[in-house]
Amino acid sequence: MRALRALLFNVLFFGGTALLCISMIPLMVCGRKASQFVGHAWCVLTQFALNHSVGMYKRITGRENLPDGPCILVAKHQSAWETLTFHTVVPDPAYILKKELIKIPLVGQFLHLSGQIAVDRSAGGSALKDMIKGASQALKENRQVIIFPEGTRTPPGSSRPYHPGVYALYKAFPDIKVIPVAVNSGMFWGKDSFMKYGGRVTMELMTPIEHGLDRKTFMKEIKTRIDTRTRELETEAQREFNLPMLTSADIAAEEEANQEKTS
């Protein structure tokens, strides 16, 4: 039954994404907010499909930590789930994303036109400058900048280093609140996984990081807070919804298999 429900969602997700993008092409000439509306509509419809196909719902805690205006959200990235969920949590998100996503037909065009911050990760120092420039513009527009400091989706139970770009944002905008975000979405919707599991996925918005920290202290503080709370949320999800839990051995085997594919 779980496999059939997952199949239903995948059909709705990919088919619905294609239909939405094609039907909304005329809005491409209507400015940034029109393209942002398309992104918001896609996220809401995907959440609806998750609810009614696999029984996956969202649970957002810590909303009181969000300011009324601009902020920087530093989030754990385990799944596609959080990329669509932020659209239903904050009014005008600006994602920092890899430039390759802009090349996806239609979807990439909407990402570009909606004012997302595309960064060429192979560009070194200039990538940081482009990121700061894009974030500065977004914050001036009272938007919420979202960064995934690990740079890619990571499975539950894994620990990867945080890239220095997150500290560059913290230092460049000392008056903007930097909010750590923990999720357990990978327990329900794994990276490149066909299966989707029912239950309540939790996103927790934590209290902002203190201003004025040096780089070493900041990086340790934000990683410890996000990773620790994420592990707790993973354990809670496993117990509450009887979900499979990856072990460190599973993660190592998966990474080894991926390396063999690319070698």
Side-chain angles (χ1 to χ4, degrees):
M1 181 60 72
R2 275 181 168 178
L4 287 175
R5 292 177 126 194
L7 175 61
L8 174 60
F9 169 74
N10 284 313
V11 171
L12 292 172
F13 178 72
F14 291 107
T17 298
L19 287 173
L20 180 67
C21 287
I22 292 170
S23 65
M24 294 293 184
I25 286 176
L27 290 182
M28 285 185 174
V29 299
C30 297
R32 185 190 73 77
K33 290 195 174 181
S35 291
Q36 186 77 308
F37 168 78
V38 175
H40 181 78
W42 175 75
C43 294
V44 170
L45 290 173
T46 302
Q47 288 279 5
F48 181 85
L50 284 170
N51 295 350
H52 294 277
S53 59
V54 297
M56 188 188 302
Y57 298 86
K58 65 182 179 182
R59 175 165 49 200
I60 312 298
T61 62
R63 287 180 186 267
E64 66 276 7
N65 294 315
L66 281 174
D68 292 332
C71 64
I72 298 170
L73 296 157
V74 183
K76 193 73 173 178
H77 192 16
Q78 292 189 339
S79 168
W81 180 86
E82 52 269 12
T83 63
L84 60 93
T85 299
F86 275 117
H87 254 289
T88 66
V89 174
V90 297
D92 197 2
Y95 294 87
I96 296 173
L97 47 83
K98 56 186 178 181
K99 200 170 186 178
E100 292 87 339
L101 294 177
I102 302 298
K103 298 178 182 179
I104 300 174
L106 288 182
V107 172
Q109 289 299 307
F110 279 115
L111 288 173
H112 173 68
L113 293 172
S114 64
Q116 307 311 312
I117 305 167
V119 175
D120 183 357
R121 295 185 296 183
S122 65
S126 63
L128 278 179
K129 292 180 181 178
D130 291 341
M131 182 186 71
I132 296 299
K133 181 179 178 181
S136 178
Q137 180 60 38
L139 293 170
K140 287 178 182 177
E141 296 172 353
N142 287 324
R143 301 175 67 192
Q144 300 76 41
V145 172
I146 298 165
I147 183 170
F148 302 112
E150 291 166 307
T152 187
R153 286 173 291 174
T154 58
S158 63
S159 179
R160 292 180 178 170
Y162 285 18
H163 295 299
V166 64
Y167 178 71
L169 287 173
Y170 171 79
K171 185 177 180 180
F173 307 106
D175 297 326
I176 299 295
K177 288 186 176 180
V178 175
I179 301 171
V181 182
V183 298
N184 59 7
S185 55
M187 301 289 295
F188 301 83
W189 181 350
K191 179 181 179 182
D192 301 324
S193 174
F194 169 81
M195 288 300 299
K196 313 293 185 294
Y197 296 95
R200 288 197 180 276
V201 189
T202 300
M203 171 184 286
E204 182 167 317
L205 308 164
M206 292 180 274
T207 55
I209 296 289
E210 178 186 350
H211 287 298
L213 301 179
D214 60 59
R215 176 175 173 173
K216 183 178 179 180
T217 304
F218 170 82
M219 295 298 285
K220 181 180 179 180
E221 173 73 8
I222 200 160
K223 179 174 173 59
T224 298
R225 288 181 61 183
I226 293 175
D227 286 5
T228 299
R229 187 56 185 143
T230 293
R231 298 294 169 269
E232 294 170 352
L233 293 177
E234 290 167 357
T235 301
E236 290 171 10
Q238 185 185 24
R239 291 174 179 171
E240 186 175 359
F241 301 108
N242 192 29
L243 298 170
M245 180 69 171
L246 287 175
T247 66
S248 57
D250 295 326
I251 296 164
E254 180 182 349
E255 291 180 343
E256 183 178 350
N258 289 335
Q259 289 175 359
E260 289 177 356
K261 289 178 183 179
T262 58
S263 60

